[in-house]
Amino acid sequence: MTERPAGEDFLRQADPFRRELLAHCYRMLGSVHDAEDLVQETYIRAWKSYERFEGRSSLRTWLYRIATRVCLTALESRGKRPLPTGLGNPGSQAGDELVEQPEVPWLEPVPDAMVGADPADPATIVTSRETIRLALIAALQHLPPRQRAVLILRDVLQWRAAEVAVVLNTTTTAVNSILQRARAQLEQVTPHEDEVVEPTAADQRELLEKFVAAFEAKDINAMVDLFTKDAIWEMPPFVGWYQGNENIARLIDVQCPAQGPGDMHLIPIDANGQPGFGLYMLDGDVYRPFNMPVLTLSADGVTHVSCFFDTRLFAKFGLPESVPAK
């Protein structure tokens, strides 16, 4: 009898699933940092218990079972990761005082390349870009952990109810009931951004170029034209969120530390299947990381910006620690 692969052989067989498992853990936790830790724990547990893996399911399915259980255990001691729009507070005005709550475990973006949704390499796409969009990840945070797991496994990964029942140590009937409740709750909290008609590729490039030009010049009038009239801007860890193109442009005018043209520098990124930027602020003779806006676009302009101020994220996206000023 051939000896069961172990050690390096196990890793060789399991490594191809690492990115999609990262996407799975990210959907569950809403944090790229937590997701990386839990994928690592998944692989450690799988490696230690591989001798007991009897091949009744595929290796991929077995790894997903372990990852889901690891995530559910982690969520027992963690709260949801919201965005400011998910806190239930009314919208803010540009001149309002900025209130920061760094102690809140805010939702984080994830690089497309880390989860196999990099549009530059279609051959390697293992994750649908629609299943990692920020609006969906934010909505999933409103679901209790078991509902979240069932909805992801059934509706995103297309598992059968019987397979999900094995993961959760419950019945198929219970899984179907949990899924029904999860779908109903998700329908209540999911924004209707998925109904927005996205711009063509050429129009998107033009809009993103205008976005860069407006910010790098700190051209407030151009910013007004960038956003749709009911656009939303939010920026964790600040709890306020801002609606309306003129309100957003004034926010940047009065609250952004950039004094004028040349104070900001933007580098494009791909996050959550959406365009975004690493935004740098001038500090002496170099630009340093400041924040990371992730954009939702429509044929009419920018409809939503989630702007993340956690500069640890720059390293996750492969962005430089600083950029020399021209």
Side-chain angles (χ1 to χ4, degrees):
M1 181 179 294
T2 303
E3 186 177 351
R4 186 181 298 278
E8 292 183 3
D9 288 336
F10 163 72
L11 291 176
R12 176 180 54 81
Q13 295 182 63
D15 263 350
F17 305 112
R18 189 175 292 271
R19 288 196 296 177
E20 58 180 294
L21 288 170
L22 180 64
H24 179 56
C25 293
Y26 172 72
R27 294 187 195 99
M28 288 288 294
L29 275 296
S31 163
V32 63
H33 293 92
D34 288 353
E36 285 186 307
D37 291 343
L38 295 181
V39 168
Q40 186 65 19
E41 184 175 344
T42 296
Y43 274 77
I44 291 172
R45 290 193 183 189
W47 177 73
K48 288 181 177 179
S49 60
Y50 187 68
E51 290 184 357
R52 299 194 297 274
F53 173 55
E54 299 176 349
R56 295 178 180 175
S57 64
S58 69
L59 179 63
R60 177 178 180 267
T61 299
W62 184 62
L63 289 170
Y64 267 100
R65 287 176 182 170
I66 297 172
T68 302
R69 289 167 178 167
V70 165
C71 289
L72 289 172
T73 299
L75 286 168
E76 290 176 359
S77 58
R78 309 182 198 195
K80 69 176 183 178
R81 284 184 170 270
L83 286 172
T85 47
L87 296 178
N89 299 327
S92 302
Q93 295 302 309
D96 295 347
E97 180 184 359
L98 295 180
V99 178
E100 185 176 3
Q101 290 190 1
E103 71 279 4
V104 173
W106 296 102
L107 188 71
E108 297 174 352
V110 67
D112 285 4
M114 288 183 66
V115 293
D118 185 354
D121 189 5
T124 66
I125 291 180
V126 295
T127 298
S128 170
R129 298 169 68 192
E130 286 71 24
T131 69
I132 56 168
R133 294 212 182 256
L134 277 174
L136 173 62
I137 303 302
L140 288 172
Q141 296 298 303
H142 290 272
L143 301 180
R146 283 170 67 85
Q147 286 189 21
R148 200 181 307 176
V150 168
L151 189 134
I152 292 170
L153 292 172
R154 291 283 283 119
D155 286 357
V156 176
L157 298 176
Q158 301 295 310
W159 280 32
R160 298 190 302 274
E163 294 176 304
V164 179
V166 172
V167 175
L168 298 183
N169 193 26
T170 187
T171 65
T172 300
T173 301
V175 166
N176 289 331
S177 177
I178 293 171
L179 178 62
Q180 186 176 10
R181 293 197 301 273
R183 285 173 174 169
Q185 186 163 344
L186 196 69
E187 181 67 25
Q188 293 178 2
V189 300
T190 302
H192 295 289
E193 289 178 345
D194 56 345
E195 299 175 3
V196 173
V197 177
E198 293 190 359
T200 64
D203 288 343
Q204 175 171 309
R205 284 194 301 270
E206 182 180 359
L207 182 56
L208 294 176
E209 289 171 359
K210 289 180 178 178
F211 189 93
V212 172
F215 274 76
E216 293 190 342
K218 202 178 181 184
D219 184 339
I220 303 304
N221 290 330
M223 291 180 191
V224 172
D225 294 336
L226 280 174
F227 296 95
T228 59
K229 290 189 179 299
D230 59 351
I232 290 175
W233 178 285
E234 55 189 334
M235 47 185 190
F238 301 98
V239 298
W241 59 276
Y242 308 82
Q243 187 164 27
N245 55 340
E246 294 185 0
N247 192 29
I248 292 169
R250 183 165 181 265
L251 171 75
I252 299 164
D253 186 21
V254 300
Q255 302 285 12
C256 177
Q259 297 300 305
D263 282 0
M264 289 185 279
H265 176 67
L266 280 69
I267 298 178
I269 60 169
D270 294 302
N272 295 77
Q274 301 169 231
F277 298 95
L279 190 152
Y280 292 73
M281 195 68 63
L282 188 63
D283 180 15
D285 58 354
V286 298
Y287 290 99
R288 301 195 185 279
F290 184 65
N291 60 35
M292 183 174 289
V294 178
L295 284 57
T296 303
L297 307 180
S298 76
D300 298 321
V302 180
T303 64
H304 199 131
V305 175
S306 298
C307 193
F308 300 91
F309 275 77
D310 184 353
T311 54
R312 296 178 305 159
L313 293 166
F314 277 62
K316 294 296 181 189
F317 282 82
L319 293 168
E321 294 181 1
S322 63
V323 178
K326 295 180 182 179

